[in-house]
Amino acid sequence: MTVPAAVQRSVAEADADVIVVGAGPAGSTTAFHLAQAGLDVLLLEKTTFPREKVCGDGLTPRAVKQLIAMGIDIDAPGWVRNKGLRVVGGGRRFELDWPELASYPDFGLVRTRQDFDEILAANAVRGGVRLLQGVNVTGPILDDRSGHIVGVVAKKDGEEVTYRSRLVVAADGNSTRISLAMGLHKREDRPMGVAVRTYFTSPRHDDDYLEVWLELWDGETLLPGYGWVFGVGDGTSNVGLGLLNTSESFKGMDYRDLLKRWVKGMPEEWGFSEENMTSPIRGAALPMAFNRQPHYTRGLVLVGDAGGMINPFNGEGIAYAMESGQVAAETIVQALGRTTPAQRERVLRAYPQTLKDAYGGYFTLGRGFVELIGHRGVMDFAARHALPHPRLMRFALKLLGNLTDRRGDASDRIINALSKVAPSA
């Protein structure tokens, strides 16, 4: 990526108000909002753009709302709009349009991660963020007296470098080396998923709907998860599957082989054959339901996958990465505007509760859903008896996609009430 000369600085001048580690959707969104508030922000990315990430590439209306709020031009070439979900299961196939809500747009998007992350990072740079690529953060710099993080140690061009700041944001994904170094480990009582995907040259590349298959069979076993076919609009389709660790065979499963076997059952005219595959099958872990906590400790703020902010209902992560980035930025701006360390800490320590208020009850419902579909026969029962009822499926679309208005219709009020009364994740 070409960074405008006006925002380039030497490493010696790289100290900032806030360092954001990782230029994925969470990191770039956090950095953008911080810079918009007038803070000096350094965004560190271990790779160089363009770079690939394993993802379904589908963006729900929650994610679209965040893109619009940041001024991303979603009418530019390369963005593919969709009307909703096409659900396949129980011998049926039907289409569910995204709900019409005041809170969210009524359309989704598809954009490959090959350039999606770069678009967000470039937008952050235009907003005043200083981006350094090829900087692999290896650990924190801690204050000797307080134990707070006051910067990071990194490798750049084979040499060790240091960067100092008032606060650090961990946006470095599921592996989040900086969080681990600060003593924040995964919670084993939270679900984990895995996603594998590839791309095929296919006539289905310009589909108006994101297609989701609710039944994943491994021989005679119905697995907890789903498959997808998302048209990318460039002559290819993103085809993949996601599975939850509630399956008994989760640990020993060959996911790549399962994907190959699954697409062999697709109609030949769709083109999902090995000779039409344009990318190797790749996989990634999906940390769900706040699987790493607390989301603030000793000067370190967690956003996105680093904090396990993936929806356990559907495996969606990009929307929550961007939303948590905005919330984190708002908290940090308020904290750094306080005059004493004690006042700043009081604001920052409220950040985890803000996230729990926003997502905690809903994620708890999702954890219950994950446990339920992990039982043999539940998925089969749901596919056979729930899918034939369009009204029930429209409710399910709102629930699984977390798409409601605060004062909406009866289904909105039911979902909001359930999320409110459920214990916080």
Side-chain angles (χ1 to χ4, degrees):
M1 177 188 297
T2 301
V3 180
V7 296
Q8 292 186 20
R9 299 186 188 180
S10 69
V11 172
E13 300 171 319
D15 290 348
D17 291 321
V18 183
I19 289 172
V20 180
V21 182
S28 290
T29 301
T30 307
F32 170 82
H33 288 293
L34 289 170
Q36 290 293 292
L39 294 179
D40 183 18
V41 186
L42 182 61
L43 180 60
L44 305 178
E45 169 58 36
K46 68 178 179 181
T47 63
T48 57
F49 292 111
R51 55 119 164 92
E52 189 176 27
K53 284 284 186 178
V54 176
C55 187
D57 301 331
L59 302 167
T60 71
R62 289 191 76 99
V64 176
K65 178 179 181 178
Q66 291 296 314
L67 295 173
I68 293 172
M70 289 190 291
I72 302 294
D73 184 6
I74 58 174
D75 293 318
W79 296 96
V80 180
R81 293 198 180 199
N82 57 74
K83 300 176 181 178
L85 292 184
R86 180 182 299 110
V87 180
V88 181
R92 296 172 176 267
R93 177 189 299 261
F94 57 91
E95 293 168 350
L96 295 168
D97 288 351
W98 296 117
E100 294 187 7
L101 301 168
S103 303
Y104 302 101
D106 63 350
F107 64 92
L109 293 167
V110 173
R111 185 89 191 205
T112 69
R113 295 293 294 277
Q114 182 71 25
D115 64 356
F116 176 78
D117 292 15
E118 184 174 9
I119 290 169
L120 295 191
N123 188 63
V125 168
R126 285 193 297 272
V129 173
R130 289 181 286 131
L131 170 68
L132 294 181
Q133 302 177 59
V135 178
N136 186 15
V137 173
T138 57
I141 300 173
L142 301 180
D143 181 81
D144 290 337
R145 285 185 285 187
S146 69
H148 277 53
I149 185 170
V150 292
V152 297
V153 179
K155 286 293 183 75
K156 180 175 174 58
D157 299 326
E159 296 183 1
E160 185 174 278
V161 291
T162 60
Y163 305 95
R164 293 182 175 271
S165 63
R166 300 171 69 186
L167 284 172
V168 175
V169 176
D172 47 346
N174 176 55
S175 58
T176 186
R177 182 180 295 183
I178 195 73
S179 300
L180 290 172
M182 293 288 288
L184 299 178
H185 298 277
K186 293 178 183 177
R187 292 184 56 159
E188 298 301 325
D189 61 343
R190 296 293 187 266
M192 280 290 294
V194 64
V196 291
R197 67 95 177 97
T198 186
Y199 296 89
F200 294 97
T201 302
S202 172
R204 300 203 56 200
H205 72 98
D206 57 355
D207 199 336
D208 283 338
Y209 288 84
L210 301 177
E211 187 165 291
V212 175
W213 292 53
L214 297 184
E215 293 175 295
L216 284 179
W217 292 93
D218 185 18
E220 299 297 318
T221 303
L222 185 62
L223 302 172
Y226 65 91
W228 68 78
V229 179
F230 295 168
V232 179
D234 62 354
T236 67
S237 292
N238 180 316
V239 182
L241 54 85
L243 289 169
L244 296 161
N245 62 355
T246 50
S247 169
E248 295 176 1
S249 53
F250 180 85
K251 292 183 179 179
M253 186 174 294
D254 185 338
Y255 307 106
R256 290 170 176 80
D257 181 65
L258 179 62
L259 177 58
K260 289 179 181 178
R261 288 187 280 119
W262 181 57
V263 298
K264 282 182 179 179
M266 303 292 189
E268 185 177 348
E269 60 268 23
W270 291 1
F272 298 158
S273 59
E274 288 206 33
E275 55 266 29
N276 290 336
M277 192 182 294
T278 64
S279 170
I281 298 175
R282 293 193 169 96
L286 304 176
M288 297 176 171
F290 292 160
N291 81 327
R292 184 176 280 105
Q293 298 184 40
H295 294 115
Y296 171 74
T297 183
R298 293 182 294 141
L300 182 71
V301 178
L302 274 59
V303 293
D305 287 9
M309 299 178 201
I310 289 182
N311 183 346
F313 278 109
N314 64 5
E316 178 184 13
I318 291 178
Y320 299 94
M322 292 191 289
E323 288 177 7
S324 64
Q326 183 179 15
V327 173
E330 291 171 353
T331 303
I332 291 168
V333 168
Q334 291 299 318
L336 294 186
R338 300 298 195 264
T339 55
T340 69
Q343 291 173 336
R344 290 192 288 272
E345 277 296 293
R346 188 176 300 114
V347 175
L348 291 165
R349 287 175 180 172
Y351 171 68
Q353 188 59 50
T354 301
L355 292 179
K356 288 187 176 185
D357 290 344
Y359 308 121
Y362 177 78
F363 281 177
T364 296
L365 293 177
R367 288 164 55 202
F369 172 79
V370 166
E371 291 297 325
L372 186 64
I373 65 173
H375 294 293
R376 190 182 300 268
V378 172
M379 281 290 289
D380 182 54
F381 179 87
R384 294 180 185 277
H385 298 284
L387 291 179
H389 300 282
R391 182 176 296 179
L392 183 58
M393 290 309 298
R394 285 193 291 271
F395 175 84
L397 176 64
K398 283 189 170 185
L399 174 62
L400 272 61
N402 199 9
L403 295 169
T404 63
D405 279 330
R406 180 172 295 180
R407 296 177 179 173
D409 60 18
S411 62
D412 292 3
R413 293 193 293 273
I414 291 171
I415 294 169
N416 294 339
L418 289 172
S419 298
K420 188 174 182 178
V421 301
S424 184

